[in-house]
Amino acid sequence: MKLNEKENFSIRSFTLADSISIFRMVVAPFVIFIAFLGEYKTYAWLMILLFFTDMADGFIARLRNEISRRGARLDSIADLLMVAAAVMGILKFQFDVVWMNFTWVLIAIFLYLLTISISLFRYGKISSFHTYLSKLSALLMVFVFIQLFFFSFHKFTFVFSFVIYIISALEELIILMINPNFKTDVKGLYWLMRLKK
């Protein structure tokens, strides 16, 4: 599928997928506020809505052939805000779990901030690689979130999801180091190396 390289931020040019990403960008700060107020159930269900729309915008973009750099950038910004909302809620409502697994959480936060920092330094913008590993990691994190807020804590799935995220983050760091130009929708390090041959 051909990527539309032109970045046009006029309102008329926004696609359905772009609109969903913008919706997440608008709703995420509200979700953070809801968490701050201590509204457990409302927060949990709004996060499920954000997770669902996160999966929907990429699917719709591919289905309607609306993939673009602009869309990838909007999606990345929306992801950043959604992660902030998730972190706020977990710290607010599941602090005991965070404290019991502080090392895993600290490593994940460090790698997340490191990838963002290197991407901003290297490209001047947040990376939008959307690798297979990052997608798998996101699905696992959603699964863990649902367990935490709607069922109960399970050590194995929690640790497993963090291990996959760490591997995904390390792959992204390598891609950042070897790929001098901003590129969206990279399947993974293996596919990138094949293109470089």
Side-chain angles (χ1 to χ4, degrees):
M1 190 177 294
K2 187 176 180 182
L3 177 69
N4 178 13
E5 297 293 336
K6 185 178 180 181
E7 292 189 73
N8 181 358
F9 281 88
S10 65
I11 294 176
R12 289 183 179 181
S13 69
F14 285 156
T15 64
L16 177 58
D18 294 340
S19 300
I20 294 173
S21 293
I22 293 169
F23 170 80
R24 289 196 292 131
M25 292 167 62
V26 172
V27 171
F30 174 71
V31 177
I32 293 173
F33 179 68
I34 291 296
F36 178 77
L37 293 178
E39 298 291 337
Y40 184 94
K41 288 186 178 179
T42 304
Y43 166 80
W45 282 110
L46 284 173
M47 282 303 303
I48 295 299
L49 175 63
L50 288 180
F51 292 143
F52 175 76
T53 52
D54 181 31
M55 292 184 287
D57 60 5
F59 174 77
I60 290 171
R62 285 166 177 78
L63 183 67
R64 295 165 59 94
N65 195 23
E66 295 174 345
I67 298 174
S68 66
R69 280 195 174 190
R70 177 192 61 199
R73 290 185 65 186
L74 289 172
D75 183 57
S76 293
I77 295 169
D79 284 347
L80 182 63
L81 292 171
M82 186 177 69
V83 168
V87 169
M88 174 64 186
I90 291 170
L91 288 174
K92 175 73 175 181
F93 302 115
Q94 304 288 344
F95 185 77
D96 289 346
V97 173
V98 174
W99 185 251
M100 287 188 300
N101 299 275
F102 185 72
T103 302
W104 289 107
V105 174
L106 187 64
I107 292 171
I109 291 174
F110 172 76
L111 289 173
Y112 186 73
L113 294 177
L114 182 63
T115 54
I116 290 176
S117 299
I118 293 177
S119 178
L120 289 172
F121 176 77
R122 195 159 174 78
Y123 307 135
K125 61 189 78 172
I126 301 172
S127 61
S128 304
F129 295 142
H130 298 134
T131 63
Y132 288 146
L133 266 177
S134 68
K135 292 176 182 177
L136 173 61
S137 174
L139 285 174
L140 288 172
M141 289 295 183
V142 171
F143 180 72
V144 168
F145 182 93
I146 292 171
Q147 279 192 326
L148 282 175
F149 282 84
F150 293 93
F151 299 97
S152 60
F153 172 71
H154 293 275
K155 181 76 173 183
F156 174 79
T157 52
F158 186 92
V159 172
F160 181 70
S161 68
F162 273 79
V163 169
I164 297 300
Y165 171 74
I166 289 168
I167 295 171
S168 169
L170 291 173
E171 179 188 48
E172 181 158 340
L173 285 170
I174 295 171
I175 294 172
L176 282 167
M177 299 307 296
I178 68 174
N179 197 53
N181 301 313
F182 181 78
K183 186 176 177 63
T184 60
D185 295 315
V186 178
K187 294 179 181 179
L189 183 59
Y190 169 76
W191 289 271
L192 183 63
M193 295 306 294
R194 285 187 63 183
L195 289 174
K196 287 181 175 292
K197 288 182 179 179

